[in-house]
Amino acid sequence: MWPFVGRVRELEDVMSALTGADEKGAALVGPAGVGKTRLTDEVVARLERTGLAVRRCYATVATSAIPFGAMAAMLPTDLRTANPLGRAVEHLLSEQLPLMIVVDDAHLLDDASIALLHHVIRHGHARVLVTSRPGERTELWQDGLLRRYPLGDLSRAESDLLLERALDGPVDTRSATLLWSGSAGNPLYLRELVVSGCAMGALRADDGIWSWHGAIELGGRLAELVQSNLGRLEPSHRHALELLAYSEPVELDLLASLVREEALDDLETRGLIRVVPSGRRVVVRLGHPLYGSLLRTTCPTLRAQSHQRALAAALEATGARRREDLMRIATWRLDGGSPISVNLLAAAAEQAWAAQDVALAERLCRGAVEAGGLNRVGHVFGQVLMHGRAPDQAEATLADVMSGPLSAEDLSRLGATRSMNLHFGLGDADAAAAVLDHVDVPGLPADLRDWLQVVRVIEAAQHGHVATVLESTYQPVAPHLTVHLRRTRALCLLHAGRYREVAEEIAAYEALEDLSEPDDGALRMRCFALAFAGNLAEAEALALTMHDRTFDELAFTGATSLFGVLSFCARMRGHGSQALRLAREGSPKTPSRPLIFDAIALANLAGTAAICGDATLAQEALARAEKARRPAWRLTGTTVSVTRSQVLACTGDLRAAADAAMAAADECAELGVHGNEAMALHNAARFGVDTSQRLTALTSTMDDPMTAAYTAHATALADAAPTALEATATAFQRLGATLYAAEALAAATGLHRARGDARAASQASARQALLMRDFDGVRTPALCADGLTHLTRRQAEVARLATSGLTNQQIAEQLHTSKRTVDNHLHAIYGILGVTGRDELRTVLGPS
């Protein structure tokens, strides 16, 4: 039996309906696989613990044609009387009371059993719990006999929790997303996916993290379950579902032009399709994603091609007014074997790339290339290849296209793409600049000249001085290109540590375009700005909202930098195991040519491993990050330099760690990367160098709370001021940076003890212990110092509850112990900390 996840409210509601004084019972109503039986198991277990007599029966297709078939086991054998219903009721009344009757799949009950349940419920002979499919045998609750409780699919969070509990370990985000998209929150489908995945080896644990390898294949028992839920389909129903399998989500009017309206009504009633609003449109989806997988697998090839040709023709007949219509028509024509022009393929490829559908963009580009249209799609194909970790192939392809007869305009467009591939894909800034110089010729249209200039600014933002590049983002260009400069300006502000201005700039450039979807690059920059400024909770929440999106884990666009944000937030809270898992997920897995964001991801992995005390992994990841650096990516490379000091500290060489931190700070200062400079200077302070003056100077342009806390920490360490360190700990704690708060308190404890103030040392140490109660797998030099005096885990828990305002009796009830035990714990705590009561305790320990 799988873990019981979610459904807490439903469980309490059903128990109330079965045990309340005026209640008669409940009906759990929902589609197959949503967990009606699993919830019923929990209810039955609770009822049996109360001493109730529970009689459970199971209706099936086989028993549906037999009078009292499903309930035969709880009825006498001599029902062949003139009044079988009366005899059945008489037998039930002879049972031990109170009686509880539970019926699974009540929609398959025969009429005699339904009549028996009616009589039992109406006359109060027993409480009844049934499970049923929606829309079938509704008389049990429509007549007011039972309270109806609809049961739907699990939420994404509940599905992920169920998955991790069932596998007894964490699941990487990509795999969790894949299984969520396959199961759509249906617990039965999720279970069968896991069972089949483990059996085939597609789902397996690597380094303690479960991952799905390859695509989901529909077969075995899972395919049987999906087929069973689809049931027997009439030809018109199957035709409609197969069309939908190749087109969902599709506009209702488009689908209605190809199938009978009665068929759609029937399918919606049965829950096999869903008609839902989508903006200004009404679209149709299959009732479950796996329906589409099964229908596409079982649809004959010629019929599938016919469906797709019909869809393309129907959409073209409407005028193809929407932006994504060209992509759909091109895809259906390709799959349907219809003739398709190079112009259509090229236009569709551009739309797919703009929509960040990399797989489709590549397919459409290759289709255009096969049709002899490489010169038409070269600028898109080059970006697709670079994104797909093939920058060498992109360079060869673009060089080949540019060697042919082209207009100056086409040459400049291809040159811009080739330059960015050389710069961001191959890391060759000189070659990238040379290509731009070659194609930037007199006589180009103004917007193309502006575009080439914008590309120069975008590339300079990775190897030039931040202030210089920032100034260049204000140059006048064509209005439709302004957004690229503003996006680059936001990146420069992020590097400069001007985090508040990042959000303002992003809001300004998002207002320039009518974006139907949020700009992922903008969201990522906003996440980093929030995190580095000390708004950890907000940064984490924003990053998590992007987790449900489909993304390529090795994407050039840096989508996996979200893992860097989440990992940073986790380690700042002292959640080492979680931070390390996220950092592993975000790091590149293949030994192929590294891209620009790989160096950042590997540096993050190295820094997180160092915080967790895994020196071997930290050194290995740092070596890979160093190898991934390119001269063209100087600004990005500073992250690797900052990380080097953390790795050295992990090995125990604090002198070398301090020297590396100062070298990184100097490197960052030379480039104007003040955000990383502040982090490097704070690291140097943690490793014994007085960096307070340089950090103080940085706060004149960096007015964020985190940099202010870095400065206060460095100043207090340099002044050896324990009271100031305790105040710094409070500042870090307010930001959620409990790791640094604990380090500040550890330093304060040592200073108090060195001065002979045992009481103050105990108080600071106890406060540190409270902060670290939720730490997991974190090891830093400051936290590994000897001689710390901590409260026991139980004492820390009692102290935390006492500072929250609870009475001793309330604390005892919450901890399931006696008030006298709580009294004894508090007496011991007061003695250890040298305080006389709760007010002093709250002052010493800070906010709970």
Side-chain angles (χ1 to χ4, degrees):
M1 185 176 292
W2 263 34
F4 184 71
V5 170
R7 314 298 193 204
V8 174
R9 181 180 57 80
E10 291 90 341
L11 176 60
E12 297 302 326
D13 288 345
V14 172
M15 287 298 299
S16 176
L18 292 174
T19 57
D22 299 325
E23 300 289 348
K24 298 178 180 179
L28 294 175
V29 182
V34 296
K36 300 186 297 295
T37 299
R38 183 67 183 87
L39 177 55
T40 300
D41 292 337
E42 290 294 316
V43 172
V44 169
R46 282 200 180 190
L47 293 173
E48 289 178 337
R49 286 198 294 268
T50 65
L52 284 173
V54 179
R55 298 292 180 265
R56 191 169 185 177
C57 50
Y58 303 86
T60 65
V61 174
T63 63
S64 62
I66 304 172
F68 302 111
M71 306 182 72
M74 58 185 298
L75 296 177
T77 58
D78 57 336
L79 284 180
R80 293 185 179 181
T81 66
N83 184 14
L85 179 60
R87 178 73 183 95
V89 171
E90 180 185 349
H91 179 80
L92 289 177
L93 290 176
S94 68
E95 285 269 1
Q96 173 186 353
L97 295 178
L99 178 64
M100 189 72 64
I101 298 175
V102 178
V103 183
D104 283 86
D105 293 330
H107 56 281
L108 297 175
L109 283 173
D110 60 281
D111 291 340
S113 295
I114 289 289
L116 175 58
L117 287 177
H118 258 269
H119 186 90
V120 168
I121 297 169
R122 284 189 181 280
H123 292 83
H125 298 320
R127 301 288 176 91
V128 174
L129 172 63
V130 301
T131 70
S132 180
R133 300 276 183 89
E136 302 182 50
R137 307 258 40 165
T138 58
E139 57 265 42
L140 285 175
W141 55 86
Q142 281 189 344
D143 294 344
L145 298 177
L146 299 178
R147 189 179 294 274
R148 179 178 180 270
Y149 294 98
L151 210 61
D153 294 317
L154 296 175
S155 67
R156 171 64 192 271
E158 291 170 336
S159 179
D160 288 352
L161 179 60
L162 176 60
L163 189 60
E164 293 203 359
R165 287 187 179 177
L167 292 170
D168 194 24
V171 181
D172 72 61
T173 304
R174 186 194 64 84
S175 301
T177 301
L178 184 68
L179 290 167
W180 164 255
S181 64
S183 66
N186 185 293
L188 181 59
Y189 288 158
L190 179 62
R191 175 172 180 158
E192 292 304 323
L193 283 169
V194 169
V195 170
S196 63
C198 290
M200 295 185 301
L203 182 60
R204 57 181 183 268
D206 299 313
D207 295 325
I209 301 174
W210 288 88
S211 300
W212 188 285
H213 301 264
I216 289 179
E217 296 182 6
L218 197 63
R221 173 167 164 73
L222 181 59
E224 294 174 1
L225 283 171
V226 176
Q227 182 61 65
S228 173
N229 290 338
L230 282 174
R232 297 175 64 88
L233 296 173
E234 298 178 8
S236 62
H237 292 171
R238 178 170 289 279
H239 176 69
L241 290 175
E242 286 178 350
L243 282 169
L244 195 50
Y246 289 102
S247 63
E248 69 167 336
V250 66
E251 296 85 348
L252 176 60
D253 55 356
L254 179 63
L255 186 62
S257 70
L258 298 171
V259 299
R260 292 189 300 110
E261 185 177 348
E262 295 82 1
L264 294 178
D265 290 341
D266 292 343
L267 291 170
E268 185 180 16
T269 300
R270 293 174 57 183
L272 297 182
I273 66 172
R274 293 182 293 118
V275 181
V276 295
S278 178
R280 298 179 180 178
R281 301 180 300 162
V282 176
V283 299
V284 187
R285 294 180 179 271
L286 289 167
H288 194 278
L290 292 181
Y291 293 167
S293 300
L294 182 66
L295 289 162
R296 289 188 295 271
T297 300
T298 57
C299 185
T301 302
L302 293 179
R303 194 161 77 209
Q305 291 179 337
S306 176
H307 289 328
Q308 292 173 95
R309 288 195 298 269
L311 287 163
L315 184 55
E316 287 175 322
T318 68
R321 296 180 297 271
R322 298 183 62 81
R323 184 174 61 178
E324 66 271 16
D325 286 348
L326 289 182
M327 291 188 288
R328 294 196 290 172
I329 291 172
T331 303
W332 289 332
R333 281 191 169 277
L334 281 176
D335 292 339
S338 300
I340 183 168
S341 69
V342 170
N343 287 338
L344 175 58
L345 285 167
E350 289 176 351
Q351 287 187 350
W353 178 249
Q356 300 183 355
D357 191 337
V358 183
L360 178 58
E362 180 176 5
R363 185 177 176 220
L364 294 170
C365 283
R366 293 192 182 280
V369 171
E370 291 173 5
L374 178 58
N375 61 323
R376 286 281 288 109
V377 296
H379 63 293
V380 175
F381 198 28
Q383 295 176 80
V384 168
L385 291 172
M386 178 174 62
H387 180 101
R389 295 189 168 272
D392 293 296
Q393 185 181 349
E395 164 60 12
T397 300
L398 290 166
D400 181 51
V401 178
M402 291 179 66
S403 66
L406 294 171
S407 67
E409 290 83 353
D410 288 342
L411 193 66
S412 66
R413 290 190 186 92
L414 289 167
T417 302
R418 184 180 177 189
S419 177
M420 285 193 287
N421 179 65
L422 284 165
H423 194 285
F424 295 106
L426 297 175
D428 192 337
D430 293 337
V435 168
L436 288 178
D437 291 339
H438 175 67
V439 301
D440 194 358
V441 297
L444 288 176
D447 63 332
L448 278 179
R449 284 201 316 272
D450 286 350
W451 174 234
L452 295 178
Q453 190 58 35
V454 167
V455 171
R456 293 183 192 275
V457 174
I458 292 173
E459 292 175 358
Q462 280 301 328
H463 66 85
H465 191 282
V466 170
T468 303
V469 179
L470 185 60
E471 184 64 29
S472 69
T473 63
Y474 289 96
Q475 62 184 288
V477 295
H480 68 281
L481 299 176
T482 305
V483 65
H484 299 286
L485 288 182
R486 302 201 78 146
R487 186 182 292 117
T488 305
R489 192 180 307 155
L491 178 62
C492 290
L493 292 168
L494 179 64
H495 283 315
R498 292 157 61 178
Y499 302 124
R500 293 182 182 178
E501 295 176 66
V502 174
E504 296 170 1
E505 194 62 43
I506 288 173
Y509 87 65
E510 284 183 335
L512 293 176
E513 293 189 348
D514 182 18
L515 300 176
S516 58
E517 293 289 339
D519 182 277
D520 283 349
L523 290 176
R524 288 193 295 274
M525 281 192 283
R526 185 174 285 145
C527 282
F528 277 108
L530 289 168
F532 294 161
N535 300 314
L536 299 180
E538 191 176 349
E540 193 171 43
L542 179 58
L544 287 173
T545 62
M546 302 180 69
H547 256 203
D548 289 342
R549 300 186 183 199
T550 302
F551 55 85
D552 178 357
E553 65 174 335
L554 301 176
F556 171 79
T557 55
T560 52
S561 60
L562 287 175
F563 289 110
V565 173
L566 293 171
S567 179
F568 176 83
C569 293
R571 75 189 194 196
M572 291 293 276
R573 293 192 177 99
H575 301 164
S577 297
Q578 180 189 9
L580 189 55
R581 176 176 67 82
L582 290 164
R584 285 181 185 274
E585 285 191 52
S587 61
K589 310 300 187 298
T590 62
S592 61
R593 177 186 288 276
L595 297 176
I596 186 170
F597 290 99
D598 292 341
I600 299 176
L602 289 166
N604 178 56
L605 176 60
T608 306
I611 290 288
C612 294
D614 190 337
T616 301
L617 176 59
Q619 290 172 319
E620 176 189 328
L622 179 62
R624 292 180 63 196
E626 294 279 15
K627 188 176 181 180
R629 293 181 72 169
R630 298 288 183 273
W633 310 334
R634 292 175 67 197
L635 271 65
T636 297
T638 59
T639 303
V640 181
S641 300
V642 172
T643 302
R644 188 182 303 117
S645 66
Q646 297 172 326
V647 175
L648 287 168
C650 173
T651 65
D653 192 344
L654 291 186
R655 181 181 294 275
D659 291 343
M662 292 305 298
D666 293 341
E667 178 188 345
C668 293
E670 182 182 350
L671 293 169
V673 187
H674 299 311
N676 279 352
E677 181 187 0
M679 293 182 188
L681 290 171
H682 183 234
N683 284 339
R686 293 167 59 221
F687 304 146
V689 180
D690 180 3
T691 60
S692 57
Q693 291 186 356
R694 282 186 62 174
L695 277 168
T696 300
L698 281 178
T699 57
S700 63
T701 57
M702 298 174 62
D703 59 352
D704 61 280
M706 187 68 85
T707 303
Y710 289 162
T711 304
H713 193 189
T715 302
L717 287 170
D719 294 343
T723 303
L725 282 166
E726 292 177 37
T728 298
T730 300
F732 277 129
Q733 190 176 351
R734 288 197 185 102
L735 300 177
T738 48
L739 174 64
Y740 291 153
E743 286 194 355
L745 289 169
T749 300
L751 289 171
H752 280 310
R753 186 173 291 115
R755 296 177 181 184
D757 193 340
R759 181 174 182 267
S762 294
Q763 291 176 348
S765 180
R767 185 178 167 195
Q768 177 193 346
L770 285 177
L771 284 180
M772 293 180 64
R773 65 182 181 270
D774 295 325
F775 280 19
D776 175 25
V778 172
R779 290 170 56 95
T780 68
L783 297 180
C784 293
D786 294 330
L788 293 179
T789 303
H790 298 309
L791 302 175
T792 66
R793 179 173 289 274
R794 176 59 85 177
Q795 287 172 338
E797 194 169 15
V798 170
R800 176 175 59 84
L801 293 173
T803 59
S804 70
L806 296 181
T807 66
N808 288 13
Q809 182 60 47
Q810 290 171 328
I811 295 172
E813 292 172 357
Q814 186 161 331
L815 298 180
H816 305 290
T817 187
S818 68
K819 177 179 177 296
R820 182 173 181 178
T821 300
V822 173
D823 294 338
N824 291 336
H825 278 311
L826 282 174
H827 181 73
I829 291 167
Y830 294 159
I832 293 172
L833 302 182
V835 298
T836 59
R838 287 177 182 246
D839 290 339
E840 289 186 29
L841 180 67
R842 192 173 293 110
T843 300
V844 168
L845 298 183
S848 176

